[in-house]
Amino acid sequence: MRRRYLALKIDSNETFTSREFVSAIWDAVLKLYGEYGASQTYLALINYDIEKNHAILRTAHTTVDMIRAALASIIEIRNKPAAVHVLKVSGTIKALHEKKKL
Amino acid sequence: MKRTYADLHLCPDLRNDEQVESVIKSASQLGYSLIGIPLPQNFPEEKIQQLKNLCRGNKMDFASRVDLNPKTSKELIRSLRRLRRQFEIIAVTCKSKQVARQAAKDRRVDLLNFPFHDPRKRFFDKAEAELASNALASMEIDMESLLTLAGRSRIRFLSSLRREVTIAENFHIPVIISSGASNELLMRKPRGMAALASLFDLSKLLSIDAISKNPRAIVERNREKLNPKFVAPGIRLIRRGEDCQKR
């Protein structure tokens, strides 16, 4: 299975734990695509920087657009207004860091 | 050529300068190069200039827009006659079938907006599309509704959008995707907006066009028409002869 890594930025006045963040993503994916769709994403949180509000998410390359839509549909995390933006997408974590530096 | 993205419907509270500034700044950071903000009909020219300068400071272009909410088609015609030459974009919120039909066939209307989520109150059907295809109006979809709705109402809304987008495609009506965001947390990156459009089966290419090529085409077409040198589509005044100057 080919994978894609997504660099994310969480935009909010609040800070969230990684558990709360992942839970918000899963909720969004489940709401939009159901359990069958969610099972195809192979979603995993690779890194979460609570200070910078940045995160790295891994998914299957076939479901990048699904995850983009699910992330864009998030308007709150733990009932607090929030938005999640995809900064970069890459096939390896190393390339993702290089792209982020550019 | 690199695509440039546009969001023609940002709705900050214009009385709150701080909010206006933060929304414009966010739009620039998210990667938009052209934005439109609906203005009141009697909005002073110097304030429009201030908004343009603010956008220029954030390396963006600003298009003035007015949203019309007429109750009857006569009211719509009156408003169009009065406002067409004052604003770069005219959007009509179609709250009745009569208004929707008049807006679709009037060449002075740029955007058709359908505010209701109830499928029975959405008037974009084949007859509407037929009229719009002979005029210049595009169909605008605000993503704010999609983001804020939940459960069954979102399901119904997505079904309506899917049907309407298919009709628009069949009749070659351009679709415009806007955020309709009143604050920066409801704004999304252009690619995020395109991904959301996949929820109502708008293809990737068409959804990217809906946030780049289509909105820009409307603004460019209207700017050309509002230019004093414009005579008719394809005809521009290049230079005045001496005879003309004497008169």
Side-chain angles (χ1 to χ4, degrees), chain B:
Chain B
M1 204 172 82
K2 197 187 169 194
R3 274 190 192 265
T4 54
Y5 297 102
D7 186 348
L8 296 186
H9 200 194
L10 291 173
C11 310
D13 182 359
L14 291 169
R15 289 163 297 184
N16 184 345
D17 290 343
E18 218 170 88
Q19 197 192 20
V20 172
E21 210 173 319
S22 76
V23 164
I24 289 175
K25 202 175 163 192
S26 287
S28 170
Q29 284 169 350
L30 291 174
Y32 292 97
S33 61
L34 167 66
I35 60 162
I37 296 178
L39 306 171
Q41 295 180 12
N42 51 1
F43 202 64
E45 185 58 40
E46 65 266 27
K47 287 244 180 185
I48 296 179
Q49 212 51 49
Q50 271 179 21
L51 284 172
K52 281 187 178 170
N53 290 339
L54 194 57
C55 288
R56 208 170 293 135
N58 284 288
K59 293 177 183 168
M60 281 191 308
D61 192 1
F62 175 80
S64 60
R65 162 181 173 143
V66 66
D67 283 7
L68 302 179
N69 284 291
K71 289 192 180 81
T72 62
S73 54
K74 276 188 183 169
E75 194 186 326
L76 171 64
I77 293 168
R78 265 201 304 274
S79 302
L80 285 170
R81 200 174 293 145
R82 197 159 46 86
L83 299 166
R84 180 63 273 191
R85 297 204 65 82
Q86 289 178 36
F87 292 93
E88 286 163 330
I89 302 164
I90 290 197
V92 177
T93 309
C94 303
K95 288 182 176 169
S96 72
K97 194 176 250 188
Q98 189 200 18
V99 169
R101 296 292 190 254
Q102 180 59 42
K105 67 184 173 193
D106 200 311
R107 292 175 69 87
R108 292 169 293 183
V109 175
D110 300 312
L111 298 172
L112 301 171
N113 200 318
F114 300 90
F116 297 109
H117 308 132
D118 183 351
R120 283 167 298 181
K121 288 186 179 175
R122 295 183 67 87
F123 307 108
F124 194 86
D125 51 16
K126 284 183 182 171
E128 180 85 357
E130 175 89 53
L131 290 172
S133 66
N134 295 322
L136 296 168
S138 304
M139 185 181 126
E140 183 179 49
I141 298 170
D142 278 343
M143 285 300 176
E144 197 238 2
S145 318
L146 193 62
L147 294 178
T148 50
L149 288 174
R152 283 186 193 174
S153 43
R154 176 146 80 178
I155 294 169
R156 274 198 294 271
F157 185 52
L158 280 173
S159 305
S160 302
L161 286 180
R162 191 171 293 120
R163 196 190 63 237
E164 288 166 12
V165 160
T166 311
I167 293 172
E169 271 181 53
N170 291 343
F171 283 87
H172 306 290
I173 314 249
V175 176
I176 308 286
I177 295 175
S178 310
S179 67
S182 50
N183 66 60
E184 60 268 33
L185 289 181
L186 287 173
M187 294 166 69
R188 296 291 178 269
K189 282 194 159 208
R191 285 302 203 94
M193 298 267 266
L196 282 172
S198 70
L199 296 175
F200 44 84
D201 294 347
L202 193 65
S203 71
K204 205 168 182 176
L205 187 67
L206 287 180
S207 56
I208 295 283
D209 281 351
I211 45 173
S212 59
K213 201 175 99 182
N214 299 348
R216 193 161 281 280
I218 292 174
V219 174
E220 280 170 9
R221 184 182 68 213
N222 289 342
R223 280 187 180 161
E224 196 193 334
K225 283 185 184 173
L226 291 173
N227 191 322
K229 289 180 177 175
F230 175 81
V231 180
I235 307 170
R236 293 188 82 214
L237 185 70
I238 304 293
R239 130 176 85 82
R240 286 182 183 275
E242 282 178 17
D243 293 351
C244 302
Q245 282 171 345
K246 278 175 192 168
R247 281 176 203 169

